[in-house]
Amino acid sequence: MPSRTAAAVTEMEEPQPMPGLQFNEPLSWRAGKPIPVADLLRRLSALSKEMQEMDQEENERGSFTKVAKELVNPNLLAHKDKGVRALTAACLVDILRLCAPDAPYIGQQLRDIFNMIIGQILPALSDPSNAYNQQHLYVLCSLAQVKSIVLLADIPSAETLIKNVFAICFDLISGSAKASPGEELQKNAEINMTQLLVCLVDESQNLPPEVVDIIVAQFLRADPKALSRAGGKNKKNSMIDEKQSTLVLRQLPPAYNMAKYICNACPEKMARHFSQYFNDVVVDASQASNKNTASTNKKRHSDGPEDSDDEDAGGPTEHGLNELRKVHGLLRELWRACPAVLQNVIPQLEAELSAENVDLRLLATETLGDIISGIGAAGPPPAPTLDPAAYPSNALSNPLENTVSLNLLTKPSSPQSFPSAYPQAYSNYLSRRHDKLPLIRATWTTGVGRILTTSAGGVGLSQQEEDRLIADLGHMLGDADEKVRVAAVKVVASFSFRDIVYKLGRPGGVTANGSLLAVLADRVRDRKHSVRDEAMTVLARVWGVAVGEISAGNEEIVALLGGIPSKILDTYYTNDIEIMVLLDRVFFEQLLPLSYPPVKAKSSKITNGNSQGAKDSPGGIDRPGEAIDPDKIRTERILLLAKDLDERAKKVFYAIQSRQLMLSKVMSAYLARCEDYNGGVMDDNESLIKEHLTRLIKTFASLLPNPQQATSDLWKFAKMHDRRSYQLIRFCMAPESDYRTVFKAIKEFMKRIVDASSSTTASNNLLDTLTPLLYRVSLVVYNKSHVPAIMEYSRTDEKSLASTAHEVLREISSRTPEVLKAHVQEICKTLQEEAPSAKKPNDAGAVDNLKACASFASKYPKEIPQDRKFVQALSNFALYGSPPEAAKYAVSVIWAATGKKEALARDLAQKCINGFKFGGEGFLSRLATLSQLMLLAPNEMDEQSSDEILDIAIKQILLQVREPSKKPADEYEWSSTVAIEAQAKCWALKILVNRIRSHPDVETLPDVAAPVYNLLSTLIEQHGEVSKAKDTPPTHKPRLRLLAARQYLKLCRSKSHDAILTPAAFNALALVAQDPVTPVRTGFLQRLKKYLNQQKLPQRFYTIPFLLAFEPSEELRSDTITWIKSRAAWFANARSTGSSTKANIVMESVFARLLSVLSHHPDYAPEAEDLIDFSRYIIFYLQNVATADNLSLIYHIAQRVKQCRDAVSSPPAPDAPPTEADDRLYHLSDLAQVTIRKFEDLHNWTIQTLPGKIRLPSSLFSEIRSHAEAQRVAEHLYLPEGVEAGVEDVLKATLRASRGGHHSKKRKSEGGDGEGRDVKRSRSGLPVRKGAGVKEKKKASSKAARTPKPKKVREEKEEGSGERRRSGRVKEVEKSYAERDSEEDDEEMEVLDVEEVGMDDDASGSEPEVEEMDGALEVDGEEDKGHEAEELEEEEEEEEPAPKTKMNTPKTSPRGKKKSTVSPQGKANKAIPAHTKAKPRATRSRAIAV
């Protein structure tokens, strides 16, 4: 019993044996007796199944020894059957699992196992349809989860196996494995492969460089170019072709994700490996560059010494540079995917920012900018489209604007803030703004733009940092280098409209000084065409996109971007042909795109979704569910554009439209001559046709930047002889064409030119030449399709556009009334409905309709209704219309279009006269009606009616002061509102002027006009005062003076009226240009320039604009300078081309008249300081007129003035000594000669001798009859001491200022620095330009010139100065001081012949029919159109509202001397009459800034 119990206890205490492998079948065989494949598969399958069910910790490991040994038999590992190899691999991974951590194999056996698995099993995973795919997946899963793959690290020299594992895995997951049939890999396989590679990276001490290359290559899959090169069998992962470029990638490539996971799982190790990889690439590139440098240096030494300062010397080779670009692209993508692995690379990249090599510095700048922006290897996302022709325009609330990029490869993404993670590197990157190379700065600018647009890769920027980057971008817009400025402008173009408003617009809009948008707007006037082109295009696109918000009344957008059109149109004033062509392109393609809006006309409702766009409609798409009027939409855009223009830009806007009318006439002539030319085949008049065609082509070519190329292209177009193209151009110009016709014609014309250029010998530049000309002649803005909408806006004031609509309608009616033909009946009907009466006023917009109707009636009177109701409505407007201009236009319509106009005129005159009373009902309208009747129907007025009208105008209006002023008599101020009494006096003055304008008898005209001329002169000389009591209100006087000056201009358009204006009265009139009040000066000069452009005034009126030398208003001064230069260029062109036979030296001959006006100027005084001040007038003239070609003529004119006497004052006796007026002339003549010589020296020009003689105007100058007196005057020097030096200083300062601070080329010194200056200031040389011999003498005696010389010596030199004049370089031929016959004709003008040059007192000059092609703003060259048309053109300029100003403010001269002001009565501040003073220097009449 005890023994059994003890045995039982012993049995219970013994451990239970662990279960072992039950499989006991052989797996190996002897040579020559292999196991059948079927049996072998069965046995391996059974073994695999058994081991898969076994746990790792609960098995007897010794039971696996036999099986483990048999499984590594080469017969199994290298078996030809795939199933055998698959099952063997499955069994082997189970052996490794069950025996872990100690594998039952030695190193070579492990190598054989992994060779089979890596070489056979893993690649088979690419075929999911394989019969043994399950076993393949099992092997992969076991290696990854059990981490048996780490055994590779224990195998000696396993780098190849590790490399193959990575290569196969990435090939499998990317679908590029050799056996891949194109099916996708299972998701669990991706996960296991990723885990497998992570284990290898984590357990390997050193990854082979090839493995790092493989991992790196996966990130390059984000580069579409790399994908396109790699291709692949898997269609999903292959690169999209170009035809599918609109498709986007919805998810990242699996291989990319696997590499990203590996890097993020092992950041420390991968950071070390990537740092080494980056270093290796840089070192390789450097070594290649060193070899290249060595060979280059060897070659240089063999060839001889050569200096080189090139920074790129020793830079990387092309291959090395390509490798560097690849690795830098990789860094961009690594930052997006796994920034932690770049912790060692960023400092190296930062060091490259300061590298001497340009390529490295450039790559580092590009890369860091993209890294901060979160931009990867695929590059930045496509920039948002700023489409100015889109409709509706992008709104700030548009959700599509904020849609992120759907392409994951290009979507900017930064996992962390770079400035926070690497502040030092970020600071060094920002310092690249000051890099010495423009290319680096341009690249940096692009990078900063991307940082702003992406908000630093989506991480965001602080407000302070964003403002700093915006300020830096603004500085780049003003960089000294063209490339940087272009890059900065392109950066702005890459912003979305929302970002432009809320980011770039934060510092201020285009009108805010110093803001980024203002600096961008300044670039439209950049000196480089590429910058101008980019800036103007970008600004126009921005405004085109913003027009929707502007139309909606968004005040923020209006303040921010509303000034863009003004900035663009203001470039017209540069008179630069390239800028004008660019302006045309931007105007018709961006600001007012021809295809806008892209909708069909009056589209009906669509129920089946969006329809296909029509080819012939502007833009050609329908908008569903809406009835849209594209003409109204387009008209609204035109009005919005014109509404926000400033005054300068508005002139340009209307000048562009006026230019169309002028150029269309030239184009019509060109097309007619092309038809006559017949492609070069002509039967008759061949030479005449070619000659005329040549002139027309030359006219057009002068409007284009490359006249030679343009001439060639226009001849080619003529030789093409495409009649269809001729007709298309005529369609574009025809007033009868609606907008759709014009658009289709332009579109078809361009297509025909492109087709012809590709099929004939015509150059590709043909379209570039013809397009700007086609834009300029096409009737786009003033199109008849826009008239109904303009009229609708003028009536309804929708979107506050009524005022602008009225203005545009006035321009249309005055420029192209033909387009109103289809709408004149509607206008007349509206006028009939709005006609006023004694109890009902008319609508405010009626005056614009009346003006449009009057303009139309002057050309097409038969189109105006003749019914009684309409005539009665016009009569009511004439009697009760408000404002008074409505009555004026009503009378014009009545006189032009009604059948019984004489009777109606008499009836209206009688109604206006009967019961007239100041302040009575419609008294201003009656005055306006009487004014117009006196002009149009003077013969219908009997003597009694005329007397009554004059009594009303003079006694009841002009001579009465109903609101006497209590202020001092010299008060003189401008008010923006016009008092009723001032309006009445203006109309009364017009009555008197119109009476003499319409006077038919030339012989009796002087007697009739004398009282009116005296009245006008009194108003001008007395500063608007006409009352004897001197109590006219101060605000009335500027208005009356301006009107009197304008009426003089209007009168002098007639030769008979101009003859009555004496030189003294003209001098007084000229001083209106220096009125103390800016609106008076501006209004007077605007009208003056307009008439001169239209060739309606005599030449002497060109003198007046040169009195603006002291003009305080920069805008008025700038406008006048531009106008003078434009006119001077036109006259010079006419002279060079021989297109005009008269007035070819108009601008030069004006100089004599200018000296005459200055000699009678109330500011004149003979003291040195005053004469130096007066030299500014001469300098102002020379700056704007003088050229190297005409300076000799101007100098000769200055000399001729000294050979004459003043004829403006009372003519003295023939033998009488010179008067004070004569002395003034001689002072100014000497002053002019000195100034011209200094001007010549500073420009390095040469004054040539003129063989002819110039006849001065006999009304201003008379010849000196005494030869002795003439000789004495010529030899006497009239300038006091110090004038020459003062003139030189003023001239230098003026030229420096005009050149924007750029110093002119220095003159060679005529001695030492001090001595030369003293010699140049010597009195002995004032009026004479010395010859070379004199210069040498001066140089030799320069030291003696330092000592002041006694008066006696100075006088001796003065006496001998005449001798030097004759011996100097500038000497006159056949000079005679004898008086010339006053009866000689002084209208002949010939310079280089024996005939003398005359300066016509009266003629305005005959100019070609096509005028102002060089850019002047008033481009109206039509002939006199009669009183009605003239009056219609004048009215819009009658009112010149401006801020209230006063006169009593002293002015400081340019030399610091206080100038006294002039009272309106011509008195100085001390109340001393000017004519009683010995020296009138205290009476300053120049313009005073108030």
Side-chain angles (χ1 to χ4, degrees):
M1 185 68 184
S3 61
R4 291 182 62 187
T5 304
V9 172
T10 302
E11 183 178 355
M12 291 178 60
E13 291 177 354
E14 291 179 356
Q16 294 292 330
M18 295 182 67
L21 184 66
Q22 302 300 318
F23 180 80
N24 195 25
E25 295 186 65
L27 295 175
S28 61
W29 60 88
R30 289 178 296 178
K33 293 185 178 182
I35 301 174
V37 174
D39 291 343
L40 190 56
L41 289 174
R42 178 183 57 76
R43 293 174 189 179
L44 290 171
S45 179
L47 176 60
S48 176
K49 183 177 181 182
E50 182 180 353
M51 286 193 295
Q52 287 179 18
E53 295 174 355
M54 298 174 72
D55 293 331
Q56 187 176 7
E57 303 293 338
E58 302 176 358
N59 298 288
E60 176 60 39
R61 295 189 178 185
S63 61
F64 301 114
T65 303
K66 179 186 176 185
V67 175
K69 182 179 180 180
E70 290 181 333
L71 287 174
V72 296
N73 191 301
N75 292 333
L76 291 178
L77 294 178
H79 200 282
K80 63 180 180 180
D81 188 76
K82 295 180 181 180
V84 173
R85 295 196 303 270
L87 289 170
T88 300
C91 293
L92 283 170
V93 295
D94 278 332
I95 292 293
L96 296 176
R97 175 177 63 85
L98 295 172
C99 295
D102 299 321
Y105 299 112
I106 61 175
Q108 184 58 42
Q109 290 174 326
L110 285 174
R111 180 184 295 279
D112 294 339
I113 291 171
F114 281 108
N115 269 332
M116 187 268 288
I117 293 175
I118 296 171
Q120 303 293 329
I121 302 305
L122 292 183
L125 288 169
S126 62
D127 184 8
S129 62
N130 192 300
Y132 298 98
N133 187 58
Q134 203 64 30
Q135 283 74 23
H136 301 156
L137 290 173
Y138 181 76
V139 172
L140 174 64
C141 181
S142 178
L143 290 174
Q145 294 180 3
V146 181
K147 299 185 180 181
S148 306
I149 194 67
V150 300
L151 293 172
L152 277 175
D154 298 334
I155 302 174
S157 303
E159 289 82 0
T160 302
L161 290 173
I162 295 175
K163 182 197 75 171
N164 291 338
V165 171
F166 277 86
I168 290 172
C169 288
F170 279 112
D171 284 345
L172 286 172
I173 203 167
S174 64
S176 59
K178 293 182 179 179
S180 174
E183 298 184 20
E184 295 185 28
L185 197 66
Q186 297 180 9
K187 191 66 179 177
N188 60 340
E190 294 183 15
I191 295 172
N192 287 323
M193 278 192 288
T194 304
Q195 190 62 39
L196 180 76
L197 300 182
V198 169
C199 291
L200 275 176
V201 174
D202 197 32
E203 295 296 333
S204 300
Q205 294 299 322
N206 290 303
L207 283 177
E210 294 84 355
V211 172
V212 178
D213 291 344
I214 292 172
I215 296 175
V216 164
Q218 310 315 310
F219 291 101
L220 295 178
R221 295 179 183 276
D223 186 356
K225 296 179 181 178
L227 284 177
S228 64
R229 291 191 296 267
K233 294 183 180 180
N234 192 328
K235 294 181 180 179
K236 177 181 178 181
N237 295 326
S238 62
M239 180 58 187
I240 300 172
D241 60 25
E242 294 181 359
K243 295 181 180 178
Q244 296 176 320
S245 59
T246 56
L247 301 180
V248 294
L249 198 64
R250 298 288 181 174
Q251 60 185 3
L252 292 170
Y256 178 95
N257 286 329
M258 187 163 70
K260 175 181 176 181
Y261 185 86
I262 293 170
C263 293
N264 287 323
C266 312
E268 296 297 331
K269 286 193 173 183
M270 293 308 300
R272 178 163 45 87
H273 292 309
F274 279 130
S275 177
Q276 185 62 42
Y277 175 83
F278 184 77
N279 279 335
D280 291 343
V281 174
V282 175
V283 169
D284 291 343
S286 300
Q287 290 176 349
S289 67
N290 291 336
K291 292 180 182 179
N292 184 53
T293 304
S295 62
T296 303
N297 290 338
K298 183 177 180 181
K299 183 178 180 181
R300 285 179 180 173
H301 286 304
S302 63
D303 294 342
E306 181 179 341
D307 295 333
S308 176
D309 297 329
D310 191 0
E311 272 194 68
D312 290 334
T317 62
E318 187 64 30
H319 175 72
L321 195 57
N322 289 335
E323 293 302 316
L324 285 173
R325 290 194 184 101
K326 289 179 184 177
V327 74
H328 281 78
L330 169 67
L331 296 181
R332 296 178 175 93
E333 197 59 40
L334 285 174
W335 176 263
R336 284 163 46 92
C338 40
V341 302
L342 297 181
Q343 54 187 308
N344 299 328
V345 179
I346 296 299
Q348 301 175 49
L349 196 59
E350 179 186 352
E352 287 185 356
L353 287 173
S354 303
E356 288 296 327
N357 183 265
V358 176
D359 295 320
L360 281 178
R361 207 159 74 241
L362 178 62
L363 279 174
T365 305
E366 289 177 349
T367 303
L368 270 177
D370 286 348
I371 286 176
I372 300 169
S373 305
I375 295 172
T385 303
L386 297 176
D387 185 6
Y391 179 79
S393 301
N394 289 338
L396 292 176
S397 58
N398 188 359
L400 296 178
E401 178 98 15
N402 298 323
T403 302
V404 297
S405 173
L406 298 177
N407 192 336
L408 294 178
L409 298 181
T410 58
K411 177 185 176 182
S413 174
S414 182
Q416 64 186 63
S417 173
F418 186 91
S420 300
Y422 302 97
Q424 185 61 39
Y426 180 69
S427 177
N428 288 340
Y429 171 75
L430 294 183
S431 68
R432 285 303 93 201
R433 179 170 78 89
H434 304 290
D435 197 284
K436 60 183 178 181
L437 284 184
L439 181 61
I440 306 294
R441 298 200 302 273
T443 302
W444 182 88
T445 302
T446 303
V448 166
R450 291 176 178 177
I451 294 171
L452 287 170
T453 55
T454 63
S455 295
V459 176
L461 293 166
S462 66
Q463 187 72 42
Q464 181 180 3
E465 187 60 31
E466 193 170 88
D467 290 342
R468 175 186 176 181
L469 293 180
I470 292 173
D472 288 343
L473 182 58
H475 292 148
M476 293 296 99
L477 283 168
D479 191 89
D481 192 86
E482 171 189 2
K483 298 184 184 68
V484 182
R485 299 197 298 275
V486 170
V489 175
K490 289 182 177 179
V491 163
V492 176
S494 67
F495 281 73
S496 66
F497 178 61
R498 176 179 293 275
D499 285 343
I500 289 174
V501 172
Y502 293 123
K503 288 184 179 179
L504 303 185
R506 192 183 302 123
V510 294
T511 57
N513 292 332
S515 68
L516 183 141
L517 293 177
V519 177
L520 175 64
D522 291 339
R523 296 279 65 79
V524 300
R525 302 173 74 100
D526 197 279
R527 62 182 181 274
K528 296 294 184 180
H529 180 71
S530 58
V531 184
R532 295 194 301 260
D533 194 343
E534 291 288 343
M536 201 177 291
T537 302
V538 169
L539 277 175
R541 285 179 177 173
V542 170
W543 186 86
V545 174
V547 76
E549 292 292 332
I550 295 174
S551 175
N554 190 327
E555 294 298 329
E556 179 185 6
I557 302 300
V558 172
L560 202 66
L561 306 173
I564 287 178
S566 294
K567 294 288 185 180
I568 292 175
L569 293 179
D570 191 64
T571 59
Y572 197 95
Y573 288 93
T574 61
N575 281 332
D576 185 277
I577 295 179
E578 277 192 347
I579 292 181
M580 291 183 181
V581 173
L582 174 61
L583 177 60
D584 289 330
R585 180 170 61 81
V586 168
F587 188 85
F588 293 105
E589 295 177 8
Q590 311 294 340
L591 292 177
L592 298 176
L594 295 174
S595 59
Y596 181 84
V599 294
K600 284 184 179 179
K602 299 180 181 179
S603 59
S604 58
K605 292 187 177 182
I606 302 173
T607 58
N608 57 348
N610 293 338
S611 66
Q612 187 70 21
K615 293 182 178 179
D616 292 336
S617 63
I621 64 170
D622 275 330
R623 294 192 57 78
E626 302 180 25
I628 294 178
D629 183 2
D631 292 330
K632 183 177 180 180
I633 296 170
R634 195 181 313 105
T635 302
E636 178 184 315
R637 181 159 178 163
I638 294 172
L639 297 178
L640 288 172
L641 175 71
K643 178 184 177 182
D644 294 327
L645 295 176
D646 58 29
E647 287 303 318
R648 283 169 57 91
K650 194 169 289 186
K651 292 177 185 177
V652 178
F653 176 78
Y654 292 123
I656 290 175
Q657 317 315 321
S658 301
R659 181 186 60 185
Q660 185 276 333
L661 182 64
M662 178 185 62
L663 288 182
S664 61
K665 298 177 181 178
V666 186
M667 180 60 76
S668 298
Y670 171 70
L671 296 179
R673 295 292 79 75
C674 285
E675 290 175 335
D676 296 339
Y677 186 67
N678 196 28
V681 181
M682 294 158 283
D683 296 332
D684 302 318
N685 301 324
E686 179 176 350
S687 60
L688 186 62
I689 293 172
K690 286 184 177 180
E691 180 185 354
H692 194 186
L693 191 56
T694 300
R695 289 201 306 269
L696 292 169
I697 288 177
K698 187 174 182 179
T699 299
F700 277 136
S702 65
L703 306 178
L704 300 174
N706 189 345
Q708 185 176 1
Q709 181 63 49
T711 300
S712 174
D713 291 336
L714 290 170
W715 274 111
K716 288 173 183 176
F717 179 72
K719 292 176 182 177
M720 288 166 55
H721 196 51
D722 185 359
R723 294 184 179 275
R724 176 60 180 170
S725 295
Y726 300 161
Q727 188 58 42
L728 291 173
I729 297 176
R730 290 188 174 104
F731 283 148
C732 295
M733 300 186 298
E736 298 80 15
S737 299
D738 59 12
Y739 189 86
R740 186 167 178 267
T741 301
V742 173
F743 175 77
K744 288 174 63 178
I746 294 175
K747 188 175 178 182
E748 183 183 347
F749 177 82
M750 291 183 174
K751 184 177 183 301
R752 293 182 70 86
I753 295 301
V754 171
D755 294 342
S757 299
S758 60
S759 60
T760 67
T761 58
S763 66
N764 294 329
N765 294 326
L766 184 56
L767 185 61
D768 294 336
T769 298
L770 294 176
T771 298
L773 297 179
L774 185 63
Y775 285 159
R776 294 179 183 185
V777 302
S778 297
L779 205 59
V780 175
V781 176
Y782 290 173
N783 191 277
K784 74 173 189 178
S785 298
H786 300 153
V787 174
I790 294 174
M791 294 175 62
E792 180 181 347
Y793 279 112
S794 67
R795 290 194 303 267
T796 62
D797 197 22
E798 182 181 347
K799 300 183 179 180
S800 302
L801 293 174
S803 175
T804 307
H806 285 308
E807 188 175 357
V808 174
L809 193 61
R810 286 198 302 268
E811 287 292 325
I812 293 177
S813 64
S814 62
R815 300 296 181 186
T816 54
E818 297 86 353
V819 302
L820 297 176
K821 275 188 177 182
H823 311 284
V824 68
Q825 297 295 332
E826 182 181 352
I827 295 175
C828 294
K829 184 178 180 182
T830 303
L831 290 174
Q832 187 173 321
E833 295 172 353
E834 297 177 351
S837 64
K839 298 182 179 180
K840 184 189 81 168
N842 57 274
D843 186 74
V847 63
D848 298 296
N849 290 334
L850 277 168
K851 182 176 182 181
C853 189
S855 298
F856 184 83
S858 64
K859 287 192 174 183
Y860 306 100
K862 295 183 179 179
E863 302 288 336
I864 300 297
Q866 303 287 334
D867 57 282
R868 185 179 59 83
K869 291 184 178 180
F870 180 66
V871 174
Q872 183 60 44
L874 293 176
S875 299
N876 288 346
F877 273 111
L879 295 173
Y880 309 108
S882 177
E885 287 77 8
K888 169 185 170 180
Y889 296 135
V891 173
S892 297
V893 177
I894 291 174
W895 188 256
T898 56
K900 300 178 180 180
K901 56 185 178 182
E902 294 83 2
L904 287 172
R906 288 192 294 270
D907 183 60
L908 281 176
Q910 201 59 42
K911 289 180 178 179
C912 291
I913 295 171
N914 292 341
F916 180 87
K917 180 181 179 183
F918 182 90
E921 184 179 358
F923 81 104
L924 287 178
S925 300
R926 295 188 181 188
L927 288 175
T929 298
L930 291 175
S931 170
Q932 198 69 355
L933 288 174
M934 292 297 287
L935 177 69
L936 302 178
N939 296 330
E940 310 307 322
M941 307 291 173
D942 55 27
E943 186 175 351
Q944 181 180 356
S945 298
S946 297
D947 292 342
E948 291 177 350
I949 293 174
L950 294 178
D951 182 76
I952 292 173
I954 299 174
K955 294 183 180 180
Q956 298 188 40
I957 304 296
L958 283 175
L959 299 182
Q960 297 291 328
V961 180
R962 290 172 172 79
E963 297 178 3
S965 173
K966 298 180 181 179
K967 296 182 179 181
D970 59 353
E971 284 289 319
Y972 185 79
E973 61 186 31
W974 182 270
S975 175
S976 57
T977 58
V978 188
I980 297 297
E981 184 179 359
Q983 292 186 53
K985 289 186 176 182
C986 289
W987 286 111
L989 191 60
K990 290 180 181 180
I991 290 175
L992 300 180
V993 172
N994 286 345
R995 175 172 172 265
I996 61 174
R997 285 176 63 193
S998 60
H999 188 74
D1001 190 358
V1002 177
E1003 295 181 359
T1004 60
L1005 177 62
D1007 296 334
V1008 175
V1012 178
Y1013 274 60
N1014 291 335
L1015 175 62
L1016 295 177
S1017 294
T1018 300
L1019 287 172
I1020 290 173
E1021 294 170 6
Q1022 298 298 322
H1023 285 69
E1025 182 63 80
V1026 71
S1027 171
K1028 294 182 179 179
K1030 310 296 183 185
D1031 55 356
T1032 301
T1035 57
H1036 294 187
K1037 292 187 282 188
R1039 297 275 178 183
L1040 292 173
R1041 191 183 195 214
L1042 173 60
L1043 180 63
R1046 282 180 160 183
Q1047 294 301 311
Y1048 255 146
L1049 295 179
K1050 191 175 292 187
L1051 287 168
C1052 291
R1053 294 183 302 177
S1054 166
K1055 188 173 183 178
S1056 57
H1057 290 86
D1058 176 67
I1060 305 174
L1061 183 66
T1062 63
F1066 175 84
N1067 292 343
L1069 174 65
L1071 292 180
V1072 178
Q1074 295 182 333
D1075 191 273
V1077 176
T1078 301
V1080 174
R1081 302 194 303 273
T1082 303
F1084 173 66
L1085 285 165
Q1086 282 179 347
R1087 187 63 58 82
L1088 173 69
K1089 290 184 287 187
K1090 176 180 178 180
Y1091 288 161
L1092 288 173
N1093 274 341
Q1094 296 172 346
Q1095 310 168 49
K1096 293 181 178 179
L1097 286 176
Q1099 295 176 12
R1100 61 172 169 170
F1101 283 89
Y1102 278 101
T1103 310
I1104 298 176
F1106 294 105
L1107 297 180
L1108 267 66
F1110 293 93
E1111 174 57 46
S1113 171
E1114 184 58 35
E1115 181 180 358
L1116 178 57
R1117 179 183 171 91
S1118 175
D1119 287 350
T1120 304
I1121 289 174
T1122 302
W1123 180 85
I1124 292 173
K1125 289 182 177 179
S1126 173
R1127 298 302 298 164
W1130 189 92
F1131 283 119
N1133 181 65
R1135 181 165 59 247
S1136 63
T1137 58
S1139 57
S1140 178
T1141 57
K1142 292 184 179 180
N1144 279 343
I1145 59 168
V1146 170
M1147 303 305 284
E1148 292 82 3
S1149 64
V1150 161
F1151 189 58
R1153 298 181 179 277
L1154 176 62
L1155 295 181
S1156 175
V1157 171
L1158 293 178
S1159 69
H1160 294 275
H1161 197 287
D1163 287 349
Y1164 176 84
E1167 282 75 14
E1169 185 177 1
D1170 291 275
L1171 289 174
I1172 292 172
D1173 263 4
F1174 264 60
S1175 70
R1176 294 181 181 272
Y1177 290 109
I1178 301 171
I1179 294 171
F1180 183 72
Y1181 170 86
L1182 294 174
Q1183 278 186 297
N1184 297 302
V1185 175
T1187 64
D1189 297 328
N1190 66 4
L1191 189 65
S1192 300
L1193 177 59
I1194 297 172
Y1195 186 82
H1196 187 61
I1197 292 173
Q1199 288 181 320
R1200 283 284 293 125
V1201 169
K1202 201 173 180 182
Q1203 301 165 15
C1204 301
R1205 302 187 67 172
D1206 178 72
V1208 176
S1209 305
S1210 299
D1215 297 330
T1219 63
E1220 180 184 356
D1222 296 334
D1223 287 342
R1224 291 184 175 192
L1225 273 181
Y1226 303 152
H1227 277 82
L1228 290 173
S1229 175
D1230 281 351
L1231 180 66
Q1233 293 178 56
V1234 168
T1235 307
I1236 293 171
R1237 289 203 323 274
K1238 299 298 181 184
F1239 191 84
E1240 171 206 10
D1241 288 343
L1242 292 176
H1243 286 80
N1244 291 326
W1245 294 345
T1246 302
I1247 295 179
Q1248 304 293 337
T1249 302
L1250 295 181
K1253 294 181 181 179
I1254 296 177
R1255 179 182 297 281
L1256 301 184
S1258 58
S1259 60
L1260 303 179
F1261 304 97
S1262 61
E1263 295 290 346
I1264 302 177
R1265 297 182 180 276
S1266 169
H1267 177 79
E1269 180 63 22
Q1271 187 72 25
R1272 187 195 67 78
V1273 170
E1275 294 177 352
H1276 183 68
L1277 300 177
Y1278 286 83
L1279 295 184
E1281 182 73 30
V1283 171
E1284 183 177 12
V1287 168
E1288 184 175 5
D1289 292 340
V1290 171
L1291 181 58
K1292 288 181 177 179
T1294 304
L1295 292 181
R1296 280 197 300 270
S1298 65
R1299 293 170 183 172
H1302 295 288
H1303 294 283
S1304 60
K1305 200 172 183 180
K1306 290 185 178 180
R1307 244 188 333 157
K1308 291 184 178 180
S1309 178
E1310 296 177 353
D1313 291 342
E1315 301 115 6
R1317 183 172 181 81
D1318 288 340
V1319 171
K1320 283 183 282 183
R1321 292 186 177 185
S1322 173
R1323 288 264 298 155
S1324 61
L1326 283 178
V1328 187
R1329 175 67 177 148
K1330 295 180 176 58
V1334 177
K1335 286 186 179 181
E1336 293 176 3
K1337 252 183 204 181
K1338 286 169 63 178
K1339 187 172 181 180
S1341 61
S1342 58
K1343 289 185 179 180
R1346 289 186 177 181
T1347 305
K1349 300 179 180 178
K1351 187 174 181 181
K1352 182 178 179 181
V1353 176
R1354 194 160 54 241
E1355 289 173 354
E1356 289 175 358
K1357 291 195 174 186
E1358 288 175 0
E1359 292 173 0
S1361 63
E1363 192 68 23
R1364 282 192 293 274
R1365 177 183 290 109
R1366 288 190 293 274
S1367 63
R1369 173 153 53 100
V1370 182
K1371 61 181 181 178
E1372 299 174 13
V1373 178
E1374 299 179 359
K1375 179 179 292 185
S1376 173
Y1377 297 100
E1379 182 183 6
R1380 301 185 185 278
D1381 187 359
S1382 59
E1383 300 294 330
E1384 292 180 16
D1385 184 11
D1386 61 350
E1387 295 183 2
E1388 296 297 328
M1389 307 178 72
E1390 187 66 44
V1391 177
L1392 300 179
D1393 202 347
V1394 293
E1395 299 180 40
E1396 296 176 343
V1397 178
M1399 298 182 182
D1400 192 356
D1401 283 329
D1402 305 318
S1404 62
S1406 174
E1407 302 179 7
E1409 59 179 306
V1410 181
E1411 188 190 5
E1412 293 307 316
M1413 297 297 188
D1414 55 350
L1417 290 177
E1418 274 83 25
V1419 284
D1420 187 352
E1422 295 185 12
E1423 297 299 325
D1424 193 346
K1425 294 177 272 188
H1427 294 314
E1428 314 94 282
E1430 290 174 1
E1431 290 300 315
L1432 296 175
E1433 290 181 1
E1434 305 305 330
E1435 185 57 42
E1436 65 270 19
E1437 297 181 11
E1438 292 296 338
E1439 297 298 329
E1440 299 288 343
K1444 201 169 185 178
T1445 55
K1446 289 190 176 183
M1447 175 186 172
N1448 293 340
T1449 303
K1451 173 191 168 194
T1452 304
S1453 72
R1455 296 180 57 85
K1457 179 181 176 181
K1458 279 273 180 115
K1459 305 293 182 182
S1460 62
T1461 58
V1462 177
S1463 69
Q1465 289 77 20
K1467 298 180 180 180
N1469 286 340
K1470 296 182 181 180
I1472 301 176
H1475 64 275
T1476 64
K1477 302 181 69 177
K1479 295 181 180 179
R1481 55 180 298 186
T1483 56
R1484 296 289 177 185
S1485 299
R1486 298 192 193 111
I1488 299 175
V1490 183

